Amino acid sequence: MADIVQAAKLLGDARRVVVFTGAGISAESGVPTFRDALTGLWERFDAQSLATPQAFQDQPDLVWGWYEWRRHRVSTVSPNPGHRAVAAIESRVPSTVVITQNVDDLHERAGSRDPVHLHGSLFAPRCSGCGEAVALPPATAEPDAGRRVQPPACVRCHGLVRPGVVWFGEALPEAALEAAARAASACDVLLTVGTSGMVYPAAEIPRIAARAGAAVIQVNPHATPMDSVALVNLRGSAGRILPELVTKAWPDAATADPAAAPS
Ligand code: APR
């Protein structure tokens, strides 16, 4: 049986699905990966020097400026057929849990209900002092001041507002990690898409599912350490493979579901 046919059969028969995504699913929308984000104004920096609590303590304006620039970049791009196919899976299997390592909001904008953000989000800043969530105005323009932008102060405790992402050396948000592990251990099918499967503890999630007896299906143009965990490896881009998988898993519904149609 062709791999995609086998994968579509597994997906179409599944009652509990987890979709686990990484940078690769957003690559086709033009979101630079973490390391590629250090381009243009930022090419002389390295991620290790910007994405740490220490960096924010030493140079909050530099770190905040980098994240504002990234938030702006994300706001200029759109979800692609891969994100929309994930939302289509959710509409076919309503108990589907989407778990992403991405800090962009493209799953939400494609129609995914409540993706679990294991590494936080560019759109969920909070006070570095008291932890209060802070609503930000849309990032409509590149920061005028170039690289350095002073972070806002918390209205409650006057602490500096920090990006709501997980930095090197920080723990993953406990509730997100627990929800992800719970979903992975209870699913029939876990689809791992566009992730190298090398960054822990997130990379445990597909392994938890496999150990619990779920069928793991991987979508990635390249070989990854997840190849040996996956029952089916679909080599190719998320934007091409995922819509095809949805169409094959639910052939009757595909034409009626605009979310499943590539555009
Ligand atoms: N479709 C599917 N997969 C793709 C595509 C595509 N169009 N393009 C690239 N890929 C794959 C690559 O082959 C690679 O395996 O996406 C993967 C991206 O790997 P990473 O850059 O390591 O991204 P990710 O796995 O999300 O990294 C995890 O590490 O950089 C930190 O915190 C950051 O959340 C991130 C974490």
Side-chain angles (χ1 to χ4, degrees):
M1 199 188 312
D3 287 347
I4 189 136
V5 174
Q6 184 189 0
K9 170 100 179 78
L10 288 165
L11 186 60
D13 289 346
R15 292 180 48 215
R16 279 182 288 196
V17 175
V18 166
V19 184
F20 176 67
T21 67
I25 195 167
S26 292
E28 287 166 88
S29 289
V31 177
T33 63
F34 188 65
R35 279 152 280 273
D36 290 345
L38 293 155
T39 55
L41 278 178
W42 298 98
E43 65 194 355
R44 288 180 301 104
F45 292 83
D46 74 283
Q48 197 81 36
S49 74
L50 290 170
T52 66
Q54 191 62 49
F56 187 68
Q57 201 175 317
D58 294 346
Q59 303 194 74
D61 55 352
L62 186 69
V63 172
W64 184 255
W66 186 48
Y67 282 94
E68 280 298 89
W69 180 76
R70 289 176 62 195
R71 191 165 73 97
H72 166 71
R73 290 279 298 263
V74 165
S75 70
T76 64
V77 304
S78 303
N80 66 60
H83 296 106
R84 285 196 288 278
V86 171
I89 293 171
E90 284 179 81
S91 70
R92 298 283 148 244
V93 186
S95 61
T96 297
V97 177
V98 177
I99 302 166
T100 187
Q101 298 162 87
N102 298 341
V103 294
D104 63 52
D105 62 349
L106 295 178
H107 280 303
E108 287 91 334
R109 282 158 58 197
S112 282
R113 272 187 311 274
D114 195 15
V116 176
H117 279 274
L118 281 182
H119 292 165
S121 162
L122 291 172
F123 300 88
R126 65 176 189 273
C127 174
S128 58
C130 69
E132 176 86 344
V134 175
L136 281 184
T140 48
E142 286 202 39
D144 295 334
R147 281 195 287 268
R148 291 181 185 271
V149 180
Q150 185 58 28
C154 173
V155 291
R156 206 163 76 171
C157 76
H158 308 296
L160 290 182
V161 173
R162 58 158 285 174
V165 301
V166 177
W167 280 329
F168 288 114
E170 291 188 316
L172 270 58
E174 213 171 298
L177 192 54
E178 273 173 27
R182 210 171 32 244
S185 57
C187 67
D188 313 313
V189 166
L190 181 141
L191 204 51
T192 175
V193 182
T195 174
S196 58
M198 293 197 297
V199 177
Y200 283 84
E204 260 313 312
I205 298 301
R207 292 176 168 89
I208 290 173
R211 278 199 300 273
V216 173
I217 300 167
Q218 176 172 233
V219 178
N220 198 307
H222 304 292
T224 77
M226 218 56 91
D227 284 15
S228 56
V229 177
L231 182 65
V232 187
N233 281 294
L234 303 174
R235 290 271 186 265
S237 75
R240 182 176 66 79
I241 302 269
L242 288 180
E244 191 181 338
L245 193 57
V246 168
T247 304
K248 284 189 159 55
W250 296 282
D252 299 338
T255 48
D257 186 350
S263 64

